[in-house]
Amino acid sequence: MNTAERLDGRALSYIAIALITWSSAYAAIAYALASFTPGEVALARLAIGSLCFVALLWLRRAALPRRSDWLQLAVLGVFGLTVYHLCLNYAETRIASGTAAILISLVPAVTAALSAFWIGERISARSMLGLGVALFGVVLVVLTSGREVRFQPMAALVLISVLASAVFFVGQKPLFARNDMVGVTTFGFLAGTLGALPFGLGLPHALAAAPWSHIAALIWLGIAPTFVGYLSWNAALKRASASQVTSFIYFSPPIAVLIGWVWLGEQPGWLTLLGGVITVGGVALANAKRRPSTPVEPAVNSVAAKEC
């Protein structure tokens, strides 16, 4: 990892904003699917997010990425955004929420592996152990929180989403070093929106027939989890390594349980709380810094010092 990269307070605040906004996306998607197809939800979400990013790009007078990076960004946008959101939306119509939560939690491990092979990020044995411990905590949280878990063929779509997400996070990372972060994010979202266009051609008709509450869910998806969430996430990715940042995705299920406890009065059992503690411990272990070893003074020098 570059020595200039660090998981500092600002990076942690960006990650917190992204996770909080992303945690609202699953419920909003399920709500919007009552009036829109999965393709229409993906197109609306990406289009609204793209409009927000274009406005930010114009306000900041930020530069677009280098032309030599356009092809890579276009591929990343289509795979990491179009494919990710289409697969996730279609999966939400068929599979249990607990199943999706467990499978999505594989993103940090896949990202860590891709980071090591693709961009050469060093992943220590302690970090891999921490990721494994955190994953165990997530599974414990999901299994004991009452969420339904059933593994079925449609769950393969979530695994595609996991791979698409990891490729998107890792592929963008080197581009931030030579381009403006807002420019990179905007270009990727424009490509992702164009990729989703063939799957949401019925969106204008669906908008005319949908109740306002379902349209509001689309607007929320485009602004909060998409624009604010991805902007915050990419700001964190620019400051720290991809494997470090994505390890915090393990906090999503515990955050959902916490929101249900505070907001809906759904008191979790002690095993669920234990799973949350294990998750926190695993993420802390994965991001713990190794203490530099204290150099041992040669015996000859110490003897000479005594003689003096």
Side-chain angles (χ1 to χ4, degrees), residues 43-115:
L43 175 61
R45 177 178 182 176
L46 292 174
I48 294 170
S50 294
L51 288 175
C52 293
F53 279 116
V54 168
L56 180 63
L57 187 77
W58 180 78
L59 288 172
R60 286 192 53 188
R61 300 290 192 270
L64 284 173
R66 299 177 182 179
R67 288 195 177 185
S68 57
D69 293 329
W70 283 12
L71 178 59
Q72 181 179 346
L73 263 175
V75 174
L76 287 173
V78 171
F79 188 60
L81 294 172
T82 307
V83 173
Y84 172 83
H85 289 294
L86 284 173
C87 289
L88 187 62
N89 292 351
Y90 277 104
E92 279 216 30
T93 65
R94 298 289 181 88
I95 71 172
S97 61
T99 308
I102 290 176
L103 294 177
I104 285 294
S105 296
L106 295 173
V107 169
V110 176
T111 301
L114 274 179
S115 297

Side-chain angles (χ1 to χ4, degrees), residues 9 13 21 25 27 35 48 52 71 76 80 90 93 95 141-142 163 167 173 186 197 213 228 232 240-241 252 264 298:
S13 65
T21 54
S35 295
I48 294 170
C52 293
L71 178 59
L76 287 173
Y90 277 104
T93 65
I95 71 172
V141 167
V142 173
L163 179 60
V167 168
K173 178 67 180 173
T186 302
L197 192 59
S213 59
V228 176
S232 302
S241 71
S252 292
L264 304 175

Side-chain angles (χ1 to χ4, degrees), residues 227-245:
F227 174 61
V228 176
Y230 277 94
L231 180 64
S232 302
W233 191 257
N234 282 355
L237 274 177
K238 186 177 181 180
R239 298 184 68 85
S241 71
S243 56
Q244 279 185 313
V245 174

Side-chain angles (χ1 to χ4, degrees), residues 61-216:
R61 300 290 192 270
L64 284 173
R66 299 177 182 179
R67 288 195 177 185
S68 57
D69 293 329
W70 283 12
L71 178 59
Q72 181 179 346
L73 263 175
V75 174
L76 287 173
V78 171
F79 188 60
L81 294 172
T82 307
V83 173
Y84 172 83
H85 289 294
L86 284 173
C87 289
L88 187 62
N89 292 351
Y90 277 104
E92 279 216 30
T93 65
R94 298 289 181 88
I95 71 172
S97 61
T99 308
I102 290 176
L103 294 177
I104 285 294
S105 296
L106 295 173
V107 169
V110 176
T111 301
L114 274 179
S115 297
F117 288 107
W118 190 350
I119 59 178
E121 285 188 1
R122 292 184 178 180
I123 312 298
S124 66
R126 180 190 300 181
S127 295
M128 292 306 298
L129 176 61
L131 292 176
V133 170
L135 179 59
F136 173 75
V138 167
V139 173
L140 187 59
V141 167
V142 173
L143 292 179
T144 59
S145 61
R147 301 172 71 177
E148 188 179 5
V149 177
R150 287 198 321 271
F151 292 96
Q152 54 205 90
M154 189 62 75
L157 289 177
V158 183
L159 294 177
I160 296 175
S161 292
V162 168
L163 179 60
S165 182
V167 168
F168 185 64
F169 294 152
V170 176
Q172 286 186 115
K173 178 67 180 173
L175 302 181
F176 292 149
R178 57 181 182 265
N179 297 288
D180 183 89
M181 185 270 291
V182 174
V184 169
T185 309
T186 302
F187 194 98
F189 265 85
L190 289 173
T193 301
L194 290 175
L197 192 59
F199 301 92
L201 295 177
L203 182 59
H205 177 74
L207 285 170
W212 170 245
S213 59
H214 292 171
I215 296 174

Side-chain angles (χ1 to χ4, degrees), residues 301-308:
N301 291 346
S302 61
V303 171
K306 287 179 181 179
E307 291 177 354
C308 294

